[in-house]
Amino acid sequence: MIPARLLQDCKALVLLGVLLGILWETGCTQIHYSVPEELEKGSRVGNIAKDLGLEARELEERGVRIVSRGRTQLFALNPRSGSLVTAGRIDREELCMGAIKCQLNLEILMEDEVKIYGVVVEVRDINDNAPYFREGELEIKMSENAATGMRFPLPHAWDPDSGKNSLQSYELSSNTHFSLEVQSGADGNKYPELVLERALDREEEAVHHLVLTASDAGEPVRTGTARIRVMVVDVNDNAPAFARSEYRASVPENVAVGTTLLLLNATDPDEGANAEVMYSFRYVDDKAAQLFKLDGHLGTISTIGELNHEESGFYEMEVQAMDNAGYSARAKVLITVLDVNDNAPEVVVTSLSSSILENSPRGTLIALLNVNDQDSEENGQVICFIQGNLPFKLEKSYGNYYSLVTDAPLDRELVPSYNITVTATDRGSPSLSTETYISLSVADTNDNPPTFSHASYTAYIPENNPRGASIISVTACDPDYGENAQVTYSLVEDTLQGVSLSSYVSINSDTGVLYALCSFDYEQFRDLLLQVMAHDSGNPPLSSNVSLSLFVLDQNDNTPEILYPTIPTDGSTGVELAPRSAEPGYLVTKVVAVDRDSGQNAWLSYRLLKASEPGLFSVGLHTGEVRTARALLDRDALKQSLLVAVQDHGQPPLSATVSLTVAVADSIPDVLADLSILEPSANPDNSGLTLYLVVAVAAVSCVFLAFVIVLLALRLRRWHTSQRLQDSGGGLVGMPASHFVGVDGVQGFLQTYSHEVSLTADSRKSHLIFPQPNYADTLISQESCEKSEPLLLSGDSMFSKDNNALIQQAPPNTDWRFSQAQRPGTSGSQNGDETGTWPNNQFDTEMLQAMILASASEAADGSSTLGGGAGTMGLSARYGPQFTLQHVPDYRQNVYIPGSNATLTNAAGKRDGKAPAGGNGNKKKSGKKEKK
């Protein structure tokens, strides 16, 4: 091998010489340097300036530089020393891998001469690399029955150095079984081989560890090693064997599924597949096969099902171990299952009542329980009890049976249902318990009446409410359940003013809402006291009552009602008399009004709206009294018109007005004297009317005078007849003189009340009325001053009126005599409250005003002046049927007939409540009525 290497070197030198000769001949100049590899940076390669024939300083002056060729510059010029130095680390193995000789070429340019010089730098190898194996460890498998002399190739080493620094030899570590042989290849590399020198036995030594060393011949010598592990492959020549012939295990029954119970151990001296042992059951029953599993590779016995001591406490089985060659071994396995407290007590409800009446007696059976525990000994001993403070208890019955019974009275209203928890606990450690839940409903009995939410109710409703309006809602609760708690509302029957309360209000039987059936009137009644009953639907039903006070709130729905003076039906106004001598503050009249409302709605105030003479009269704000505000003057008109308003204080306020006519005169004759000048005649009609009035007064006076004469004649005739009868002794009883009215008494009445004046406010005509007086039952009612009726005349006497029409005498009044109460003397005396005396002076004016007002309105209505009805004093037509003598004083009691103790009354009206029957003569209506 070495002579061949030298031959190659010689050939290279010859070629190099030939090349240099050619270059010399062609005029090219090359400079040769030789340096070892791995020089440090800046190491001197050669003196380039000297070789170029230059000084060191001339290198820079003449522009000497290295021409780059695109590769990494390995060398550089030092201008100070003129030397060629290394520019970096030079690694021969990196630059010239596999080359026998490593040369680096570079060109140097001299710019002033434009001349290039070639430089060849030879890099010499040094022993800087040790031989190495690509695989540091090698495993070789050999069968234990391999023949001696067999060769096994080994990996060869690598060394990047060259020459003697490269790989030179191999060496194997000492051993008794192997040797090393090195073979040379055609490429000159050396390949080592391992030779088996002695037979192998795996059971004796399964692995052989060898070391292969590769060395070079450099200075210093470098080596590389590789570890060789020889694996002896086994041959199946041994049978498996168990460590024990019998395996025992005791496990609790609550062991988890998959738990390893036993580990079987069967060994085989062989290795690998020959030592692989497979485990299996040789004998096992079906129940054990469902609970246990034997791992064929690992030899572990584990559970695949849940163990239960109560089912089986012991298991026996047989296992075997077999290798690949069929060699096997056998062993027994005994497993004992230990009991644990894994079964909780069982509670079975054999009989159960889901509901019980709340009035059930103590000891009533609710449920029958059967308690059992499958565990044994203390684990199977059970204790039962009820949790919580409940009105129940458990009583031990036959065997494992318990009875659940009531231990106290039940009340559904307090506790409607119970969730009973029966706990059964065993004596194991740890103890197990079972809870059984029993739901028990307490059935309701009707033992509670409905209860109202309030002890009493008060409701308010304004009057004039719409029908069907909701007033109040009452609520009653019944703590019972179901039908026993269904409350129905009703009203307790009662009456108000003779009418059932059910006519006024009603109540919704389901909701308890009270409704108004009518529109309430505060003026009719102001409150209602009701009794509301609430009863349930139980059997028997229970009920309770509550009082409800319903108050009607007043609304301002009534206008003030003027009682005096009332408005005449013909549209005229009443006439009040005020003397001209009246001082300021003189009471002329009083406006009397009432309001059916109450409270503020009934507070009335009076005020003067309009007066024909402002400032002459004033009206009391709260009294309604019409008084003179100043003294009357002669220039003041005879007729004064007043408009008085009466207003309440409601919201909104309501009011009423009344018109008054005040006649300013000192006496009645003055009034009559001033009638002709009360209003000047503006046309012939006014003067004609006055003439008619005068004629009518004269005619009435004449008729009245004739009536008195006839009456006197009749009296004398009867007296004469009675005297004749007495003288003749006929036994006839004479008529008492008290049955007749004396002529002087009639004359006294006529002289006092023979005329009445009616003045209409704002009228263009004045009416002078001469009414025919009504002497209680003896006088005929005169309808009007414009209507003519015959008087009671004797014989065929007739009276002519208006000189044109003849009035035939009406039939005499059969009830013309005075009543017993009107007779003069002791037999005709009345009680103290009916008799009267002639009024004193302080009431005279007021009496005359009432008489004039009554005569005027009754004359306009065609009614009697004085005999208008019982107790009305002739004012019924003006004041209406409700205005009786309880509103205005009965001045008839103040009228008497001189010479007699009787007063002028309407005895017939008192007796039978009928008007006199003698006033049905022919009537003739007057001309047109005057405009008001």
Side-chain angles (χ1 to χ4, degrees), residues 129-201:
N129 293 286
Y132 68 93
F133 293 91
R134 292 182 178 178
E135 296 178 359
E137 293 185 358
L138 178 64
E139 181 178 299
I140 300 175
K141 291 183 179 181
M142 296 183 185
S143 176
E144 63 177 332
N145 57 359
T148 58
M150 292 187 63
R151 295 175 178 270
F152 300 92
L154 298 177
H156 65 279
W158 298 88
D159 193 339
D161 294 331
S162 62
K164 63 177 183 178
N165 295 330
S166 62
L167 179 62
Q168 299 298 325
S169 61
Y170 292 96
E171 183 179 358
L172 183 65
S173 61
S174 61
N175 62 89
T176 59
H177 293 84
F178 301 97
S179 63
L180 178 65
E181 288 187 4
V182 178
Q183 301 291 335
S184 298
D187 54 358
N189 293 327
K190 299 178 176 63
Y191 298 97
E193 291 181 352
L194 185 64
V195 180
L196 180 60
E197 298 293 340
R198 182 182 172 185
L200 301 176
D201 187 356

Side-chain angles (χ1 to χ4, degrees), residues 12-35:
L13 291 175
V14 172
L15 293 175
L16 180 58
V18 175
L19 179 59
L20 290 175
I22 295 173
L23 292 175
W24 182 263
E25 292 179 356
T26 57
C28 294
T29 302
Q30 285 188 344
I31 302 173
H32 295 267
Y33 296 106
S34 177
V35 296

Side-chain angles (χ1 to χ4, degrees), residues 845-865:
T845 303
E846 183 177 358
M847 177 188 67
L848 292 176
Q849 292 174 356
M851 295 293 292
I852 293 171
L853 182 62
S855 300
S857 74
E858 289 182 356
D861 296 339
S863 60
S864 176
T865 306

Side-chain angles (χ1 to χ4, degrees), residues 287-420:
K287 182 177 294 186
Q290 296 176 359
L291 297 176
F292 302 102
K293 174 185 177 183
L294 175 60
D295 192 305
H297 297 283
L298 302 178
T300 57
I301 297 177
S302 58
T303 59
I304 58 175
E306 295 181 355
L307 302 180
N308 194 340
H309 172 77
E310 288 73 27
E311 294 181 359
S312 178
F314 180 78
Y315 297 92
E316 180 179 357
M317 59 199 75
E318 186 176 336
V319 296
Q320 67 177 4
M322 181 180 296
D323 61 10
N324 294 331
Y327 300 109
S328 64
R330 292 179 294 175
K332 283 188 177 182
V333 176
L334 304 176
I335 297 177
T336 302
V337 180
L338 303 178
D339 181 38
V340 295
N341 192 21
D342 59 343
N343 292 285
E346 297 178 357
V347 178
V348 180
V349 181
T350 58
S351 178
L352 175 64
S353 297
S354 60
S355 179
I356 184 174
L357 291 175
E358 60 179 328
N359 58 355
S360 299
R362 185 193 302 263
T364 302
L365 178 63
I366 299 173
L368 185 63
L369 309 178
N370 181 19
V371 182
N372 185 29
D373 194 329
Q374 296 183 5
D375 294 327
S376 59
E377 298 180 356
E378 290 185 355
N379 296 335
Q381 298 177 5
V382 181
I383 301 173
C384 287
F385 59 93
I386 298 175
Q387 295 183 3
N389 187 16
L390 299 178
F392 308 100
K393 65 179 180 179
L394 286 174
E395 294 181 351
K396 187 68 180 292
S397 183
Y398 174 77
N400 294 330
Y401 286 90
Y402 290 86
S403 298
L404 178 63
V405 297
T406 58
D407 193 32
L410 304 179
D411 190 352
R412 193 207 66 83
E413 286 70 36
L414 296 178
V415 182
S417 62
Y418 292 92
N419 291 323
I420 305 173

Side-chain angles (χ1 to χ4, degrees), residues 706-770:
F707 172 75
V708 172
I709 295 173
V710 171
L711 184 63
L712 182 59
L714 292 176
R715 179 71 180 272
L716 292 176
R717 181 181 178 182
R718 292 190 177 183
W719 177 79
H720 178 68
T721 304
S722 62
Q723 289 297 328
R724 292 178 62 186
L725 291 176
Q726 290 178 2
D727 294 341
S728 62
L732 298 175
V733 180
M735 187 67 65
S738 60
H739 287 187
F740 300 94
V741 180
V743 176
D744 52 350
V746 176
Q747 291 176 352
F749 177 78
L750 293 176
Q751 291 175 0
T752 306
Y753 298 102
S754 58
H755 305 92
E756 288 184 2
V757 179
S758 176
L759 301 178
T760 58
D762 300 331
S763 175
R764 299 182 62 185
K765 295 183 180 181
S766 299
H767 298 271
L768 181 60
I769 305 173
F770 294 91

